[in-house]
Amino acid sequence: MKKNQKIVVANWKMNPVGLDEAKKLFLGIKKISSKMTGVRIVLCPPMLYLSDIVRLLGNSNIHIGSQDVGQKEKGSFTGMVSAKMLSGVGVDFSIVGHSEMRALGETDVQVSEKICSAVKTKMNVVLCIGELERDKEFGYFEFVKNQIVGSLDGVGKNYLKNIYIAYEPVWAISGKSGNKSVLPEQIQEMVLFIKKTLADKYGVGFKVAGFLYGGSVNPKNTQEILEQGGVDGLLVGKASLSEKNFGEILRIVDGL
Ligand code: PGA
């Protein structure tokens, strides 16, 4: 394994619609990545497919993640799947606080409870944060700060080592801004701001698992974002559903 190994997290969202297709996509990525040592790969398929995909892992180094995790361990919580249940079937990552969940009403309080539940079960968390828009008054910095502080409320410093912070400007997700992602320097600036916010909350010696960028990542912008964006990895949505595009992204990251 390389010293500064990068991480690429694939968020399949509510795709593909059939299990066979999901297995095919997984096996394709498994094959492409079988000899890669420079990239840590996490695939997050829909909840329903997790067990089947874990069974296909074999001796691959790929990690399997969920796209959400329940706040509670067990009990009368209709529709929820707990961290313990996920980890019990071999899932060791979870995306938490994705903007598409927040848009459906998920609050910072729920996000923080989900994070606590996941890290206490020794799962790794990919916490998503990001502004809805870039206003001219720079209010988006305050927005991101509030989101971090709220999402990590009650999360102890010792758990940060299992938490990746994914900066995902909502306006840049899935080509909303003409298939453009933010400029690498804008990512770098925000990552610095996030680090400062974390230092204010936890003290300068804090250590998170890493910083990711997500929002219209594709084979064309991968290298630039990783080399100039000040991040340790990527969170990839749409491009992770294409074996060709995702394979290309992995090859680029592996070669850096
Ligand atoms: P995208 O999605 O790569 O399609 O922009 C990223 C995400 O929503 O996590």
Side-chain angles (χ1 to χ4, degrees):
M1 194 202 284
K2 264 201 223 161
K3 197 160 159 258
N4 287 323
Q5 195 191 39
K6 304 277 187 211
I7 177 166
V8 177
V9 181
N11 178 8
W12 289 4
K13 307 191 181 183
M14 203 163 66
N15 302 292
V17 172
L19 176 60
D20 287 345
E21 224 187 308
K23 285 180 172 173
K24 191 165 164 270
L25 178 60
F26 170 79
L27 290 170
I29 295 165
K30 182 179 166 186
K31 192 164 173 216
I32 291 169
S33 63
S34 64
K35 297 212 165 58
M36 294 182 181
T37 53
V39 54
R40 191 175 197 205
I41 303 165
V42 184
L43 303 182
C44 304
M47 203 67 99
L48 185 63
Y49 305 153
L50 290 171
S51 301
D52 288 278
I53 303 269
V54 166
R55 261 183 244 128
L56 298 176
L57 276 174
N59 58 2
S60 133
N61 289 328
I62 295 176
H63 294 262
I64 302 300
S66 58
Q67 298 169 19
D68 188 24
V69 58
Q71 289 117 283
K72 311 288 182 189
E73 197 174 294
K74 61 173 185 168
S76 305
F77 302 102
T78 304
M80 284 191 191
V81 177
S82 76
K84 264 211 162 144
M85 293 171 181
L86 290 164
S87 125
V89 298
V91 173
D92 60 355
F93 271 79
S94 183
I95 295 173
V96 179
H98 192 279
S99 59
E100 285 154 14
M101 291 288 294
R102 292 182 190 261
L104 292 175
E106 187 180 54
T107 63
D108 284 344
V109 173
Q110 287 169 318
V111 170
S112 67
E113 286 178 3
K114 288 176 179 186
I115 294 175
C116 285
S117 174
V119 290
K120 282 182 186 151
T121 314
K122 299 198 165 41
M123 283 176 77
N124 299 290
V125 165
V126 177
L127 164 63
C128 301
I129 47 157
E131 77 276 6
L132 303 178
E133 56 171 1
R134 287 219 155 195
D135 55 307
K136 290 199 176 69
E137 292 75 37
F138 304 103
Y140 54 89
F141 282 110
E142 189 68 13
F143 182 91
V144 168
K145 179 178 169 183
N146 290 338
Q147 230 178 17
I148 299 172
V149 173
S151 302
L152 291 173
D153 188 36
V155 179
K157 190 176 179 177
N158 53 328
Y159 288 122
L160 292 180
K161 61 179 185 313
N162 294 108
I163 301 175
Y164 290 87
I165 312 269
Y167 171 51
E168 292 210 303
V170 179
W171 54 270
I173 290 177
S174 284
K176 284 199 194 84
S177 53
N179 212 20
K180 267 197 303 195
S181 53
V182 286
L183 298 169
E185 50 268 33
Q186 292 176 312
I187 301 172
Q188 195 183 41
E189 179 185 46
M190 187 55 89
V191 170
L192 283 175
F193 178 75
I194 295 169
K195 285 181 180 168
K196 160 92 174 66
T197 305
L198 290 170
D200 289 345
K201 181 170 165 58
Y202 290 103
V204 278
F206 79 88
K207 197 165 168 12
V208 292
F211 293 92
L212 312 186
Y213 169 76
S216 300
V217 172
N218 59 54
K220 288 202 182 88
N221 59 23
T222 291
Q223 182 157 357
E224 185 182 62
I225 292 172
L226 282 176
E227 286 182 345
Q228 298 165 40
V231 287
D232 312 291
L234 305 166
L235 179 50
V236 189
K238 203 166 166 196
S240 73
L241 294 169
S242 147
E243 203 181 301
K244 183 174 169 286
N245 287 337
F246 194 62
E248 193 52 30
I249 290 172
L250 293 178
R251 265 190 282 272
I252 294 167
V253 179
D254 186 48
L256 288 177

